[in-house]
Amino acid sequence: MSSQTSPQKPRVAVVFGGRSSEHAISVVTAGAVLRAIDREKYDVLPIGITTDGRWALTADDPERMAIADRQLPSVAALAESTEGGVVLPVDPTNREIVYTEPGSVPKALGEVDVVFPVLHGPYGEDGTLQGLLELSGVPYVGSGVLASAVGQDKDYMKRVFTSFGLPVGPYEVIRPREWEKDPAAARKKIVEFAADHGWPLFVKPARAGSSMGITKVDDPTGLDEAIEEARRHDPKILVESLLSGREIECGVLEFEDGPRASVPAEIPPVTAHDFYDFEAKYIDSADGLVPAPLTPEQTAKVQELAVAAFEAASCEGLVRADFFLQDNGEFVINEINTLPGFTPISMYPRMWQESGVSYPELIDRLLQAALTRSTGLR
């Protein structure tokens, strides 16, 4: 029975964890979301996906989902069983979630009205989970299949932005077959790119996030190691030139009248790290400046670009857009994140808090938007 016709509270499945290298950050995000959901307004069912892809019932215990003593949490540590699995039927007429365990009769867990996916990276943020939910006819928070896939693949993301006239920095792509077939030719391609745009370069996975697998490379001697590190996360890699300037972020949230931009934030230079990497983001908790110290004209411009990027990629619900404000005063868009982190130190909720939308209100707005939006073509 759907939430529109039932007197019961809407039932939210918070799905987190996953098979990507961002598994732990997804667990941290889920803890923050579970803590913020209004339990008087929603029933909540936490479902974790282990690193090997098993859907597990987990404890509804946000305290165990936090980073503690620099140790990262996992779904395996939260799962109620080492073997039991949750099954979402691929049938739009049936939203009944079923729990199965070897040697036991399957147990019905009831229907779900909306899914809040807080998975980061491949197998969750990239359109794969969204496609499953479309097949199942279950509404969900955030962008659909296309926008999720575009938002995950930085190669095609930049191509989309370029086609819409948005400012993008110089980049090169090394596809899997290029590196596997002729590493020398791929290496030469990167060196020639550096000859045009200068060293250092950033070598990164094309389809990963949370600054996973990124290496700053100062000269050709560091290329092979950087490429292999990126390929540990994704066989397709992206090479970008160094853009000197300030790192600016802006949140976009869909309201009844369309997407709106938050006040922007600035990521200050991180002195203990070469760049704003995973350790700086999640372990050492680099502090962002919210709002960013920009002129009114700069604020308006980055907000305009953030909404334009949201629209260009056909996004829904929410996006965090990341920019560089270059020394010449021009903005360049680096990337968008269709499921930005909701950890206690994440920039997206902080920007909206500063814009007048509290964390619980942000969660509620996203859930209500998902509940009123149909699945399928729209």
Side-chain angles (χ1 to χ4, degrees), residues 9-10 12 37-44 364 367-368:
K9 292 183 288 187
V12 181
I37 290 179
D38 184 351
R39 302 308 177 96
E40 293 186 2
K41 191 170 183 178
Y42 302 99
D43 284 328
V44 179
D364 182 57
L367 288 170
Q368 287 299 316

Side-chain angles (χ1 to χ4, degrees), residues 270-340:
V270 185
T271 55
H273 301 263
D274 242 2
F275 59 96
Y276 193 46
D277 62 5
F278 179 86
E279 288 255 330
K281 279 184 179 179
Y282 298 110
I283 305 298
D284 293 341
S285 305
D287 288 326
L289 305 175
V290 188
L294 300 171
T295 67
E297 294 76 18
Q298 289 172 328
T299 295
K301 183 61 178 178
V302 77
Q303 289 175 325
E304 175 191 331
L305 287 170
V307 171
F310 182 97
E311 297 282 39
S314 298
C315 296
E316 295 169 288
L318 72 163
V319 150
R320 193 194 71 233
D322 300 345
F323 299 86
F324 289 105
L325 175 54
Q326 299 180 99
D327 296 339
N328 63 6
E330 298 295 320
F331 282 101
V332 168
I333 185 165
N334 184 37
E335 64 182 47
I336 57 171
N337 193 316
T338 56
L339 281 174

Side-chain angles (χ1 to χ4, degrees), residues 61-227:
D61 188 354
E63 301 307 316
R64 291 171 56 199
M65 299 180 178
I67 297 174
D69 299 324
R70 301 178 75 89
Q71 296 299 307
L72 300 175
S74 71
V75 168
L78 295 160
E80 295 184 356
S81 163
T82 58
E83 294 183 304
V86 173
V87 179
L88 179 68
V90 186
D91 178 355
T93 66
N94 175 21
R95 295 181 184 174
E96 187 89 40
I97 297 251
V98 175
Y99 179 75
T100 64
E101 200 158 357
S104 300
V105 176
K107 181 173 67 173
L109 299 178
E111 296 188 342
V112 166
D113 294 290
V114 62
V115 169
F116 198 138
V118 291
L119 296 117
H120 303 308
Y123 311 111
E125 188 181 353
D126 59 351
T128 50
L129 177 65
Q130 289 75 14
L132 172 64
L133 295 172
E134 292 284 352
L135 287 172
S136 302
V138 180
Y140 54 92
V141 169
S143 290
V145 175
L146 173 66
S148 297
V150 168
Q152 186 64 40
D153 191 317
K154 297 177 180 64
D155 172 16
Y156 286 96
M157 180 198 304
K158 290 175 186 291
R159 293 172 187 268
V160 168
F161 291 158
T162 300
S163 72
F164 277 83
L166 296 173
V168 172
Y171 72 98
E172 188 60 85
V173 178
I174 303 297
R175 299 178 184 279
R177 276 195 293 271
E178 288 183 81
W179 182 251
E180 292 158 7
K181 184 178 178 181
D182 193 344
R187 196 180 299 110
K188 183 172 181 285
K189 183 177 173 181
I190 297 173
V191 171
E192 289 174 350
F193 174 80
D196 291 335
H197 301 286
W199 299 91
L201 302 175
F202 288 94
V203 178
K204 60 175 68 173
R207 296 164 291 193
S210 296
S211 298
M212 291 282 193
I214 300 179
T215 306
K216 183 182 178 184
V217 182
D218 295 313
D219 57 60
T221 61
L223 265 183
D224 281 18
E225 187 177 348
I227 290 169

